[in-house]
Amino acid sequence: MLAQNILKIGDFVEQLKISDPRTKLDPWLLGPVLILLALGLVMVASSSMPYAEDKMAGNEYHFLTRHGIYLIIAFTASLCALQLETRFWQVYGPYLLILGVVLLMAVLVIGKEINGSKRWIGVGPLTLQPAELMKFFIVIYLAGYLVRRSDEVQTRVNGFIKPLVLIGLIVGFLLVQPDFGSSAVIVATALAMMFMAGAKLWQFISLTLSVSAVMALILVQAPYRLARLTSFMNPWDDQFGSDYQLFQSLIAFSKGDWLGVGLGNSVQKLSYLPMSHTDFIFSVYAEEFGFVGVLFVVALFIIIFNRCLKIGRRALRMEEYFSAYLCYGFGFWLSLQAIINIGVASGALPTKGLTLPFISYGGNALIMSCMAIAIILRVDFETRRKEHEYDEVKRAYGGSDE
């Protein structure tokens, strides 16, 4: 079985080597992602070693080793996703969503509680985080729904509301964990996908305002969320209490100045900024690489988002609607999460427990993000191949579109 899978991957790689340049993997999407992954490996090493040496019995390479293992898993999973036709995800999307809901229920029963949150299921030496899988699954399911119910979504209110009822159930499970950050990303991604699928503007605006009001109510009802909101608005009033993490993050940004203090020279990672290799890894990066380095990473995410939209638009022109909605959904998900993480680290947004895609330590997020990019690359490959075949047929009939 393993040998057969290896042969299949080899056959697909051979397909990518055909002479027509339009059938090759998009370097403007793959390139920035590979750069971010390499940068993430370097930053996990830089930011985690002091913490690991202190907390992991002197093993300073603990988190770097695990991150390397997750990278290998992510590359393997991405290669497998790359050889699957897009049709596969359309067929199995509903089943993946059911699997995600089951995992969200299971984590509340058998999950590991860390720092007051029950978000992880132990799988041997590794952990499974259902919330990260659900971000991936919900995009696939919703893309299929928008194809099946396109007329309802574009002409009737109930077609717009039906999927949001399901999303509301999923958000309910996430809030029990609690995981407000993932809930916000899933809701925003779903709304963006439905808008791109042709939902009426007045429906989109009214529902967005309603959802925003509900999310704001949920935000202020929990004391710890309210504390995060107030600390974001004034990070200087309790520097050694509720504002501590944000305060230390802002210090890292200020020390970075224009060009940074140099790789490995961050001071804030030396037990000042808690768990700096996860949600606040961008703060250490800003300190070591400065404002120029920050602009570089932001530019890479802009390029990725732009390519996702362009690939989606090309699929839409070829009437590959499911593929187009996949690209839109994955593009919005990864970009929104990047915006939130960078906004939190820089003090522009309230603190949320969200990783920075491709960079932060965290295996589940890394694997799902890489698989999403692999599917987008597959969509681009299939769309370019279809365009090429269409052009060949058109030339064979003397340039006629008929």
Side-chain angles (χ1 to χ4, degrees):
M1 180 63 71
L2 178 61
Q4 291 177 350
N5 290 334
I6 293 175
L7 288 174
K8 287 181 179 179
I9 294 174
D11 291 341
F12 179 70
V13 171
E14 288 299 320
Q15 292 180 48
L16 302 182
K17 293 180 179 179
I18 61 179
S19 59
D20 191 337
R22 292 174 298 178
T23 58
K24 296 181 179 178
L25 297 180
D26 185 353
W28 286 100
L29 177 59
L30 184 60
V33 170
L34 291 178
I35 293 173
L36 289 174
L37 289 172
L39 192 58
L41 183 64
V42 172
M43 289 312 303
V44 168
S46 176
S47 59
S48 69
M49 283 184 175
Y51 178 82
E53 187 175 17
D54 181 46
K55 301 294 184 181
M56 300 297 166
N59 181 13
E60 61 182 1
Y61 299 107
H62 173 82
F63 295 107
L64 177 60
T65 302
R66 289 173 67 90
H67 190 75
I69 293 172
Y70 281 127
L71 267 177
I72 294 173
I73 296 173
F75 279 124
T76 304
S78 298
L79 281 175
C80 293
L82 192 59
Q83 69 168 328
L84 292 174
E85 293 184 359
T86 311
R87 174 69 181 168
F88 171 87
W89 302 104
Q90 188 171 4
V91 172
Y92 290 98
Y95 302 104
L96 292 174
L97 186 73
I98 294 172
L99 173 63
V101 172
V102 171
L103 290 174
L104 286 179
M105 293 189 290
V107 76
L108 300 177
V109 179
I110 62 174
K112 297 167 58 178
E113 185 170 334
I114 302 176
N115 297 328
S117 298
K118 188 178 279 190
R119 305 177 186 175
W120 299 268
I121 299 174
V123 184
L126 305 177
T127 56
L128 184 68
Q129 189 174 0
E132 295 298 334
L133 274 66
M134 182 53 74
K135 296 173 189 174
F136 180 79
F137 294 160
I138 198 68
V139 170
I140 294 174
Y141 170 79
L142 195 54
Y145 175 86
L146 293 173
V147 173
R148 295 191 303 270
R149 306 287 184 176
S150 58
D151 291 337
E152 288 186 30
V153 172
Q154 295 173 14
T155 61
R156 300 169 62 182
V157 176
N158 63 340
F160 190 69
I161 293 178
K162 280 180 184 178
L164 291 181
V165 174
L166 177 61
I167 292 171
L169 175 65
I170 294 170
V171 167
F173 284 123
L174 289 172
L175 291 176
V176 174
Q177 295 183 10
D179 191 349
F180 185 82
S182 294
S183 302
V185 169
I186 286 175
V187 171
T189 301
L191 290 173
M193 288 180 68
M194 285 188 281
F195 178 72
M196 298 296 287
K200 292 182 179 179
L201 185 60
W202 71 267
Q203 293 177 353
F204 177 78
I205 294 176
S206 59
L207 195 57
T208 300
L209 292 175
S210 301
V211 170
S212 300
V214 172
M215 299 295 280
L217 183 62
I218 294 172
L219 179 65
V220 300
Q221 277 187 334
Y224 80 96
R225 295 192 191 111
L226 185 59
R228 286 181 174 181
L229 179 62
T230 55
S231 65
F232 146 74
M233 296 175 67
N234 185 7
W236 320 109
D237 59 345
D238 190 12
Q239 300 174 9
F240 298 99
S242 61
D243 303 339
Y244 180 78
Q245 196 167 27
L246 177 57
F247 179 69
Q248 297 299 326
S249 178
L250 293 176
I251 291 177
F253 270 82
S254 66
K255 286 183 177 178
D257 203 21
W258 284 97
L259 298 177
V261 297
L263 178 61
N265 294 327
S266 168
V267 175
Q268 295 307 106
K269 68 183 180 184
L270 304 176
S271 300
Y272 292 103
L273 185 60
M275 299 292 287
S276 57
H277 55 291
T278 56
D279 302 345
F280 280 82
I281 194 170
F282 194 71
S283 305
V284 177
Y285 173 80
E287 183 180 1
E288 295 187 348
F289 289 92
F291 184 67
V292 174
V294 168
L295 289 181
F296 177 68
V297 167
V298 170
L300 290 177
F301 277 111
I302 291 174
I303 293 172
I304 291 172
F305 180 64
N306 182 58
R307 296 308 297 176
C308 290
L309 294 186
K310 285 190 174 182
I311 293 171
R313 284 198 297 270
R314 185 186 299 118
L316 206 60
R317 287 197 302 269
M318 300 302 296
E319 298 183 351
E320 297 289 343
Y321 298 107
F322 176 76
S323 299
Y325 298 146
L326 275 184
C327 294
Y328 293 150
F330 287 140
F332 276 109
W333 157 37
L334 295 173
S335 301
L336 282 170
Q337 189 153 323
I339 290 171
I340 293 173
N341 181 277
I342 294 173
V344 166
S346 61
L349 293 172
T351 303
K352 295 286 178 292
L354 290 173
T355 58
L356 183 59
F358 312 115
I359 294 181
S360 291
Y361 173 82
N364 293 269
L366 183 65
I367 294 169
M368 293 298 102
S369 299
C370 289
M371 286 187 66
I373 293 298
I375 292 175
I376 297 172
L377 288 170
R378 177 72 196 199
V379 169
D380 181 58
F381 170 77
E382 291 180 358
T383 306
R384 289 171 182 266
R385 184 173 59 183
K386 188 174 181 179
E387 283 183 336
H388 179 59
E389 292 171 353
Y390 174 78
D391 290 341
E392 288 293 324
V393 172
K394 187 177 177 180
R395 281 195 291 269
Y397 285 89
S400 175
D401 292 326
E402 297 181 0

